[in-house]
Amino acid sequence: MTALDLALRVPLADFELDVALATDARCIGLFGPSGAGKTSILEAIAGWRDVAHGHVKVGERTLLDTTASIAVPLRARGVGYVPQDTLLFPHWSVRRNIECAQASEPEFTKRVVAALLLGPLLARMPQTLSGGEKRRVALARALCAGPRILLLDEPLAALDRGLRARVLSDILRVRAEFDVQLVLVSHDPTEIITACDEVFVVDSGRITARGAPVAVLRARASLAESLENVIVGHVTAIDGRTAQVEVAPEIVIHAVATDVALERRVWLGLDAEDVLVADSAPKRISARNVLPAVITEIDEDDCGRVRIAARLGAKEGAPTLSADLTRAAADELALARGRAVHLVFKASSCHVVARES
Amino acid sequence: MSASVLQILWTTLVVAGGATLIAAPLGIALGFLLARRRFVGKSLVETIVALPLILPPTAIGYMLLALFARSGPLGEHALGFDLDVLFTARAACLAAAVVALPLIARTARTAFEEVDPRLESMGQSLGLSRRRTLVEITLPLARRGLAAAVVLGFGRALGEFGATVIVAGNIPGRTQTLALAIFEGIQLGDDARVRTLVFLTLLVAFALIFVVERLSGARHGRRA
């Protein structure tokens, strides 16, 4: 049985949204630039937007079929929606916001509140919450309505780096702990790769590509526009707040992490700007990570920024990291393909996100 | 302050209060309809609702008079019994209600339009019925604007003159409101009485505008 099956034709201001997709994936990503029609797809699934022609099926249930004149009312759709601006009810406390969706048992609500660490926030009003806290509350509220499918629109947009890692971790926890299909909208490849099983690329109202996130998104990006660093690994040691993550045989990255356990499979995220390039290993340096690498790609953008991709270690197939540097720095180091360098970065620059599988 | 002045003040408050009770539910419902629903003839309804703002109150009074006259559509001949509205406090309430209705409806419409309709969609997506969404989300979020609409309507009813004098007359102790009494005092040259009545009117108007400004300020996040 297909988990999500939809075909939609929706007239929008600048173009007509015309998409069709069917997937069994537990978490699908809708990836594309702003204004591509991603949010309109979510709103059509939720029933918030008029659909000129098409159908929406979640599991065996038809929510919309224009040819059969079926349009299940919003309240009976079983669709949880977390819009970008969260739409928390401003006149209700966090507790009331979460409990207004009375579909779930009190025990389930408690479980959601515990999973998303919302206990201390329950008495607060939405206006007093930070951006990240609002996203968590909106996520909890949508979950407590007992949806079969949960739509998340740019859940990490406009959050600072620390909050992004936190909210992404919440989404992965929801994915792991609750039996609900996720649809995640983002124009950030890292989010899609980290959270989703399948991605659909949306551009100007059409689906232009689909497939495994890493394959689809890497194939579409030139190196200069490519992904920030995302590497999978597992935790081999924990020393206080620092975890050692083995990303390939004998290649260990030190990362500050508070929410991981030994042997846990994790994603490591690292901004290319946080990676320094040295022509030899610095002898005394505070950064915890000094990794030998071999440059595999060099690209330069119009602004004079050089991005290199460097494979960690000597073995083919080892993970690569990207690093950004200026043209002058690249010239001074005489960087070229095949050149051996050392990549240097701090443990605190790494974002660690636990992954359940 | 003489007993007759107090009587005039009382009649004024009763008429304005009665008019508000009639016009407020209707005006709020119309405001919601115009703000949230698409229907055939919406422009026509908008125009009809706005008409009393433009029409001279005397014209409104004449139309009400024709409506409730013995031979009118709601008169004794048509209904078979006398509604006994004309030249009573009920007629004064009705006239003031008609004049206050567009003000209430337009202010209520703005109040509803200021509530993000996506919050209502969210309520329904979370399983709330349309009625619960209206009662628990839309009305509470629009409450300050709606309260301002009601107070403005009350204020408009308080000052009503033209329509009232035609359908309710100017009967001391029964239909004579502050506006009518001031007019009568000026005609009789009773300056002392007129000054007292105008002072009273000023006091009531000041209090009303103060309340509306407070509500409006709170609605837009200003601190008084």
Side-chain angles (χ1 to χ4, degrees), chain B residues 157-173:
Chain B
L158 208 65
E160 182 13 58
F161 177 86
T164 309
V165 77
I166 289 175
V167 292
N170 186 6
I171 308 167

Side-chain angles (χ1 to χ4, degrees), chain B residues 102-123:
Chain B
L103 207 59
I104 297 178
R106 291 168 78 89
T107 314
R109 178 184 185 167
T110 306
F112 285 122
E113 283 174 344
E114 283 181 0
V115 177
D116 186 347
R118 294 164 71 242
L119 285 168
E120 294 163 357
S121 298
M122 178 56 79

Side-chain angles (χ1 to χ4, degrees), chain B residues 67-203:
Chain B
L67 193 67
F68 290 101
R70 190 164 291 176
S71 56
L74 294 178
E76 193 177 352
H77 292 171
L79 298 178
F81 62 94
D82 187 3
L83 281 173
D84 192 21
V85 170
L86 295 177
F87 302 104
T88 65
R90 289 194 297 281
C93 286
L94 208 58
V98 172
V99 174
L101 182 68
L103 207 59
I104 297 178
R106 291 168 78 89
T107 314
R109 178 184 185 167
T110 306
F112 285 122
E113 283 174 344
E114 283 181 0
V115 177
D116 186 347
R118 294 164 71 242
L119 285 168
E120 294 163 357
S121 298
M122 178 56 79
Q124 290 180 41
S125 282
L126 290 168
L128 301 184
S129 64
R130 278 176 182 267
R131 192 185 66 79
R132 276 192 67 193
T133 303
L134 174 67
V135 171
E136 297 186 25
I137 294 171
T138 312
L139 287 177
L141 289 176
R143 67 187 186 283
R144 291 188 187 282
L146 296 180
V150 171
V151 175
L152 277 175
F154 182 80
R156 179 65 189 87
L158 208 65
E160 182 13 58
F161 177 86
T164 309
V165 77
I166 289 175
V167 292
N170 186 6
I171 308 167
R174 284 182 62 191
T175 64
Q176 190 176 58
T177 60
L178 279 167
L180 297 173
I182 289 170
F183 179 70
E184 185 189 63
I186 292 170
Q187 280 194 318
L188 295 175
D190 188 350
D191 284 353
R193 184 177 165 84
V194 170
R195 273 197 296 274
T196 307
L197 292 171
V198 168
F199 179 69
L200 262 181
T201 309
L202 266 174
L203 271 184

